[in-house]
Amino acid sequence: MNDIDVGPTAADRFVPPTPAQLAAARDIVARFAARWDRPRADDLEDLMHPDTCNLIPPMKTPADRAGVIAHFRGVLQQLPDLRIAVERWAPTGDAVLIEWRATATVAGQALSWSGVDRFCVRGDRMYEANVYWDTRGLAERIAAAVAAAHPAH
């Protein structure tokens, strides 16, 4: 049998964070948790580099810092009691993964859902981020809550 070099495996691509990267990750996770405990869109600015590029559902294209703040202004108008609690996190190189649980009230019904933020850190701020959760499942649950609050006559 021929040995074929298929390149590094997923396990081989893990890059442990340096002590400085680990400290920066801990700091930004703590600030992320504090900001989302009682969120105000403008308070999220200090988590992001001015040149950040973040993609958050339902965005179709990534946004810069001003775009992300505008996005969350709209979200918080619709879900004023939105909270996001960090459940666990892990660093790799300059990237951080945060598993979280969100809660909000929709049409008088308490909803919760889980998701993941993956972002890269430069200094003490994120410069690139992607956010993931079951957007369809959440949309269906929101629609059901709204329908239950406003039954057809």
Side-chain angles (χ1 to χ4, degrees), residues 9-109:
T9 66
D12 294 332
R13 289 190 298 268
F14 173 75
V15 178
T18 65
Q21 288 171 323
L22 180 57
R26 281 185 190 189
D27 175 67
I28 199 165
V29 170
R31 288 185 294 125
F32 178 100
R35 298 302 177 277
W36 282 108
D37 185 49
R38 290 223 177 283
R40 288 178 1 122
D42 292 334
D43 291 348
L44 303 174
E45 181 176 11
D46 80 333
L47 295 174
M48 297 175 278
H49 265 276
D51 61 347
T52 197
C53 184
N54 299 5
L55 183 59
I56 305 160
M59 293 177 177
K60 293 182 181 183
T61 58
D64 62 9
R65 184 168 67 180
V68 171
I69 291 168
H71 168 77
F72 282 119
R73 280 188 190 122
V75 168
L76 291 168
Q77 281 183 328
Q78 294 176 8
L79 304 171
D81 67 339
L82 174 66
R83 300 293 182 267
I84 296 176
V86 172
E87 293 194 328
R88 64 185 143 249
W89 64 277
T92 175
D94 73 342
V96 178
L97 297 170
I98 297 177
E99 283 185 57
W100 47 259
R101 173 150 304 278
T103 58
T105 305
V106 175
Q109 184 175 335

Side-chain angles (χ1 to χ4, degrees), residues 1-9:
M1 192 181 270
N2 249 347
D3 287 332
I4 298 173
D5 182 14
V6 294
T9 66

Side-chain angles (χ1 to χ4, degrees), residues 109-128:
Q109 184 175 335
L111 295 179
S112 71
W113 63 99
S114 59
V116 174
D117 272 44
R118 193 270 315 141
F119 53 83
C120 296
V121 179
R122 183 182 312 130
D124 65 348
R125 297 179 185 208
M126 66 179 71
Y127 68 87
E128 172 188 292

